[in-house]
């Protein structure tokens, strides 16, 4: 099994920054792609950004130019640097990972989620 643990959420004013971290443990050698999802109240969960084991990245249009996903394979940790935050970024953010033959769009593992709240 793989365990994912997020940290770094909180309350920030619009225009501010936060950095989320996701530490992976357990059978981490089975992991390939990783990503960050978010779910706002009353909305579907959406993929915000993802990163392959080789470092290739993808972003949702709503966060391009503001969020940066990165990964430190030596520390088994993934990050999401969020800048220029907007109230519409308010959501629970989830770390997710896919197995070697899987896709991060349909993850095999999930973290417990961390709340990000952006105030005006």
């Amino acid at each position: 099994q793989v365990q994912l643990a997020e940290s770094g959420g909180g309350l920030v004013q619009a225009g501010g920054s936060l950095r989320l971290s996701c530490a992976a443990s357990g059978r981490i050698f089975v992991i390939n792609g990783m990503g960050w999802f978010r779910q706002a109240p009353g909305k579907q969960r959406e993929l915000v950004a993802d990163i392959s084991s080789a470092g290739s990245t993808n972003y949702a249009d709503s966060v391009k130019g503001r969020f940066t996903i990165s990964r430190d394979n030596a520390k088994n940790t993934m990050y999401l640097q969020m800048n220029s935050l907007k109230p519409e970024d308010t959501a629970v953010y989830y770390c997710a990972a896919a197995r070697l033959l899987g896709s991060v769009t349909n993850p095999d593992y999930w973290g417990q989620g961390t709340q990000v709240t952006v105030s005006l």
Side-chain angles (χ1 to χ4, degrees):
Q1 272 290 21
V2 172
Q3 293 78 43
L4 303 174
E6 303 99 334
S7 61
L11 173 65
V12 64
Q13 286 189 327
S17 298
L18 281 175
R19 188 175 84 152
L20 305 182
S21 299
C22 173
S25 60
R27 295 168 58 90
I28 57 176
F29 56 87
V30 305
I31 291 175
N32 184 13
M34 298 184 73
W36 290 97
F37 287 74
R38 68 185 180 187
Q39 187 166 21
K43 295 188 177 181
Q44 288 189 331
R45 191 173 297 188
E46 62 170 344
L47 178 59
V48 173
D50 66 86
I51 185 167
S52 71
S53 57
S56 298
T57 59
N58 294 290
Y59 296 91
D61 288 343
S62 59
V63 306
K64 279 181 182 177
R66 301 188 298 121
F67 290 11
T68 302
I69 190 172
S70 61
R71 182 171 176 174
D72 186 336
N73 290 328
K75 294 183 178 180
N76 302 320
T77 302
M78 176 178 66
Y79 305 96
L80 185 68
Q81 178 66 44
M82 305 185 293
N83 298 329
S84 302
L85 282 161
K86 305 174 181 179
E88 50 263 44
D89 294 318
T90 295
V92 178
Y93 283 71
Y94 297 90
C95 169
R99 292 177 182 157
L100 290 173
L101 298 181
S103 170
V104 72
T105 58
N106 186 25
D108 299 287
Y109 307 102
W110 291 93
Q112 79 285 357
T114 185
Q115 177 69 46
V116 171
T117 303
V118 184
S119 64
L120 287 169

